[in-house]
Each structure stands twice: as structure tokens, then as C-alpha cells.
Amino acid sequence: MTSSELWTRATAERYDTEEAESSSAAALAPTLAFLAELAREGRALEFAIGTGRVGVPLRERGVRVAGIELSEHMAAVLRRKVDEDTLPLTIGDMATTVVPGEFALVYLVYNTISNLLTQDEQVECFRNAARHLRPGGRFVIELGVPPLRSLPPGQVAVPFDVSERHLGFDTFDLVEQMLVSHHFTRDDDGQYRRDNSRHRYAWPAELDLMARIAGLELERRVADWDGSAFTQDSAKHISVWRKPA
């Protein structure tokens, strides 16, 4: 067990509805194309596969996908969509859980490496990816760039969504390199629901060092799944590390 916070049954049941926009065919098309190109004819392993937002449509494209998921509630939602023979799933954490075989691609999307709340666990996640990769295989991470430039002196909170049904902001502990995402969501009955989650943020250069510790080499870093250039103004990055052949 790692320090990751477990998704509850209630959260798992409403996850797909709340992520409907990011799960549409149009929204996922660049992600699926990017990952399928890297996997090619090989197998792919998704760390923290969740309800299968990415893994299920990637499997439908012909990529042989397997998954690791810590939350049994999230896994139960995924299993309603696809059976074990089509998409094998192992319950466990992404830092230590091992599944059989070698993979051409291991991937971890949607900021999920930040669910590991210590640097040591994030390093172990890289080591676990390297453990599963065949020589020449790739490890891909999608992660936001910490928005610390948005923090004026003395302020610890940054809003990331102010919309009719949702208010979201992050608070930062700059010493411990931690953030808490706060969500106020208006449900259909008009009542507001409050949720929060803890994350350990990491800079791209820190991830590169983790990769080196795991024996991986940076191959590519872009600003989004469409391959746009990563710059100092990019809000997130897609990074690809390669296991030497």
C-alpha cells in the first residue's frame, strides 16, 4: 500500500459522468493516437487505469492493454465495460505491483503520479515502469506544470475552474511540495458538494532525475498530446522516457 488516497464507491460511480467532456471521442483522439503509435504491435500497461477512460478505447483501437488500479471501486466500474480476457486488471498500487510479461509501453495519465505523496514512492513508480518495459520500451507521463508563478507573495491558493456548476482551487505547501485540490460541485438537486484531494507536485526536471535513477532516458517532451512544443509557458507536459535496448 502506498500513500495514495483511495477512491470511494460514490466517487467511482460518478467519475465517468463528471469526466464526460474529457472522455469524448474528440477529446481522447490525440491521446489514443499518441499512445497507439508508441505501443505499435506491443502490449501496453496503464498505471492507475481507473474506470478505463483511456484504457478501454485504446484497447478498442487494437492495442493489447492491461491495467493496475488501487481502488476496487474504480476497477468495478471498468469491469462493467470490458471483461478480464479483453483487458486484464490487477488490483494494487502503481509503485510496487508487478504484472506478468513485458510491455512496449507503460503510461500514466491525467496527473496521476501526483497521487503518490512522497518522492520515494514516485521514484519507485519509475522503477516499476522500467521493470515492466522491454528493451526499447517507453514510459509516458501526462502531468501539469506546478502553477507557482500564479501565486503572488503571501497567497497560497490558485483557482483553476470557476464555472456555473463547479468551483475549484489548489492550495500549496511550498516546503513539502504538496498541493490540495478543493472542489465545490453543484449537484442536480442544487446542493453543493465539497471534495478535496492531496497531491505531490513535481517539476519536469525532477521527473527526469527519477527516470535516470530507474535507468530510463528522456526521449521526448511536448506540451500536449497533439505534439505541440513544450515551452516555459506550457501548463502541462507529456514526457516520454525510453528504456535502453
Side-chain angles (χ1 to χ4, degrees), residues 14 18 165 184-194:
R14 62 175 176 257
E18 294 184 343
R165 297 181 64 93
F184 293 85
T185 306
R186 183 164 61 84
D187 290 325
D188 291 338
D189 61 4
Q191 298 295 310
Y192 274 87
R193 168 172 39 87
R194 179 177 181 178

Side-chain angles (χ1 to χ4, degrees), residues 87 92 122 144 171 185 206 211 223:
L87 198 161
Q122 291 179 353
T171 55
T185 306
E206 184 180 6

Side-chain angles (χ1 to χ4, degrees), residues 8 15 49 67 84 114 120 139 143 175 190 201 206 211 227:
T8 65
Y15 182 82
I49 194 170
E84 177 71 16
S114 69
D120 285 345
F139 182 35
L143 185 62
V175 174
Y201 63 84
E206 184 180 6

